Amino acid sequence: MRRFINKWTILGALLLIVVLWAINVQDWHQLWMISSAPDNVPIVAMLFLVPFFTWMGIRQAVANDQLIEELEADPKVAKTHHRKVEPWRPGWARELHVWPYLVRIEFLATLIVTVVLFVWSIALNAPLEEPANPNLTMNPSKAPWYFLGLQEMLVYFDPWIAGVVMPSIIMVGLMVFPYVDSNPLGNGYYTLRQRRFSLWMFGWGFLMWILLIVIGTFIRGPGWIWFWPGQTWDHNAVVFDKNVDLHDLLAQKLHLAFLAYNPWKFIFGFLVVSGFYLVGALFFHWLMTVDFKKIRLSPLRLFPKNEFEQKLLARTSLLQYLTFQFFAVSVLLALPVKLFLRLVFTIKYVWVTPWFNI
């Protein structure tokens, strides 16, 4: 009954948000023009497909976790069980051949995808435009949808950091993570219980990247100004937000004029970034070991330990641990924090140096 109420409560809240947004839409025609553009169709489809497949994966993972608990509780059944959520029944074959069972499904999927691509290519024109004209610049000028995340990152970081350093860290991190993973479980099947931390980290990074793409597609208008979805684009709009560096902000608010000059400006930024990495590392360490089911506010209990996660952490070498912490703090935490500081407090940089700005 509790799961039923929670599920319908969430659906009702989402429906209420959609209704309130639809009531406040100012320009349906412009919203349709943005959504129906050929190069934006994949993003619109992604808004529906990503939640659907995420729900499917979580649903299968929950079913597998329930099966794991049942098999752990009865070792005799674990030796003979079919190892599937749907248990083996008399008359079923215990082994299935790849052909025709698996290959048939894959062949049907290939045919369906091919038909979809044919219809797509016939119904929508390729988003090709005339040769670039330096005398006529599009406004807004947007990259293809798969580069929109990088273009949006240019708002929050130096160009070389957003265009070179951060993408390199992300790509290298994706290649390194399998080698820093010390969890032998959860390979080949969906599970939340056995790969809680890994799934949360990957899911957060993946959804954060999709968020940047959505912002660049539906929210950034002429002049790369922030317009809410459905808000009419005004090409003459001027935003008077005054971006300020963190050391200048504190120098003005706290009357610490020396922070505006080197070497204090450099030292202050170094201390802020170093403190951020320290706090971020402690935060991720807490996520690695905490048992969320045992957290209590009354009485206060914020650090209950999860025995399974502690065993995994004990299997992790110092090199694996430090490597993960560096990539996690640099991308999974720094990017949303920088986005929040820029959009809410109009803080441009937190560390200004003659060579780079962060």
Side-chain angles (χ1 to χ4, degrees):
M1 184 66 181
R2 184 178 178 183
R3 279 184 64 188
F4 180 82
I5 294 176
N6 289 339
K7 179 171 64 175
W8 284 104
T9 302
I10 294 173
L11 290 176
L14 291 175
L15 181 61
L16 179 61
I17 292 174
V18 172
V19 171
L20 291 176
W21 167 78
I23 293 174
N24 290 280
V25 169
Q26 299 176 359
D27 196 337
W28 284 102
H29 175 71
Q30 179 181 269
L31 184 61
W32 168 250
M33 293 298 294
I34 298 173
S35 304
S36 61
D39 47 350
N40 290 343
V41 170
I43 305 176
V44 176
M46 183 175 62
L47 295 178
F48 297 94
L49 293 177
V50 169
F52 173 73
F53 285 110
T54 301
W55 169 79
M56 283 190 63
I58 294 176
R59 181 171 176 266
Q60 183 63 51
V62 171
N64 287 340
D65 289 343
Q66 293 175 352
L67 175 61
I68 292 171
E69 292 180 0
E70 294 175 5
L71 298 182
E72 288 179 345
D74 194 340
K76 294 182 179 179
V77 175
K79 295 180 180 180
T80 58
H81 198 277
H82 196 254
R83 298 296 199 280
K84 298 292 182 182
V85 176
E86 182 70 24
W88 181 83
R89 298 176 183 176
W92 286 10
R94 288 187 176 274
E95 295 180 354
L96 297 177
H97 294 284
V98 173
W99 174 263
Y101 301 103
L102 175 61
V103 178
R104 180 173 58 190
I105 296 175
E106 293 177 343
F107 181 68
L108 290 174
T110 303
L111 290 179
I112 294 173
V113 171
T114 303
V115 171
V116 171
L117 291 177
F118 268 113
V119 174
W120 191 341
S121 61
I122 294 173
L124 296 176
N125 294 323
L128 301 178
E129 300 175 0
E130 64 276 1
N133 183 357
N135 297 319
L136 181 62
T137 304
M138 294 180 60
N139 188 17
S141 181
K142 296 187 178 183
W145 68 271
Y146 42 84
F147 282 141
L148 270 179
L150 293 177
Q151 188 174 0
E152 177 63 18
M153 284 173 58
L154 291 171
V155 178
Y156 314 104
F157 296 94
D158 259 4
W160 76 278
I161 292 181
V164 179
V165 176
M166 292 295 287
S168 300
I169 291 178
I170 293 172
M171 290 186 292
V172 173
L174 291 174
M175 292 186 288
V176 167
F177 280 172
Y179 298 97
V180 302
D181 183 15
S182 58
N183 188 354
L185 303 176
N187 293 320
Y189 57 93
Y190 292 98
T191 175
L192 293 176
R193 179 187 174 201
Q194 295 179 345
R195 301 198 66 86
R196 172 183 65 86
F197 183 73
S198 300
L199 289 176
W200 276 110
M201 293 300 99
F202 178 82
W204 172 250
F206 179 66
L207 295 177
M208 185 170 57
W209 190 254
I210 291 178
L211 176 63
L212 291 177
I213 295 175
V214 172
I215 291 175
T217 302
F218 298 100
I219 296 180
R220 292 299 182 179
W224 213 253
I225 297 175
W226 187 283
F227 291 92
W228 291 106
Q231 185 178 356
T232 303
W233 285 2
D234 183 1
H235 288 263
N236 298 316
V238 178
V239 177
F240 295 98
D241 291 339
K242 183 180 179 181
N243 296 317
V244 61
D245 299 327
L246 182 60
H247 64 272
D248 288 332
L249 179 64
L250 295 182
Q252 297 171 8
K253 298 294 184 181
L254 303 180
H255 304 289
L256 302 175
F258 66 91
L259 288 179
Y261 306 97
N262 280 319
W264 301 110
K265 178 169 62 175
F266 178 89
I267 296 173
F268 171 78
F270 174 78
L271 293 176
V272 170
V273 173
S274 300
F276 172 78
Y277 268 83
L278 177 61
V279 174
L282 293 174
F283 172 69
F284 281 112
H285 185 85
W286 175 74
L287 291 179
M288 290 180 192
T289 58
V290 69
D291 189 344
F292 292 102
K293 295 181 179 179
K294 297 180 180 179
I295 291 179
R296 297 289 184 272
L297 296 178
S298 179
L300 187 62
R301 191 185 183 196
L302 301 179
F303 305 97
K305 299 298 182 180
N306 186 301
E307 295 182 2
F308 178 75
E309 299 294 341
Q310 284 187 300
K311 290 180 181 179
L312 294 180
L313 186 59
R315 291 169 51 93
T316 305
S317 67
L318 181 61
L319 179 61
Q320 290 175 311
Y321 179 81
L322 294 178
T323 302
F324 169 79
Q325 286 281 21
F326 169 76
F327 286 106
V329 177
S330 300
V331 178
L332 299 180
L333 190 59
L335 184 55
V337 168
K338 196 67 166 42
L339 186 148
F340 177 79
L341 291 177
R342 184 62 178 273
L343 296 179
V344 177
F345 299 103
T346 65
I347 295 176
K348 188 174 183 180
Y349 298 126
V350 297
W351 188 12
V352 177
T353 74
W355 311 280
F356 59 86
N357 299 318
I358 297 178

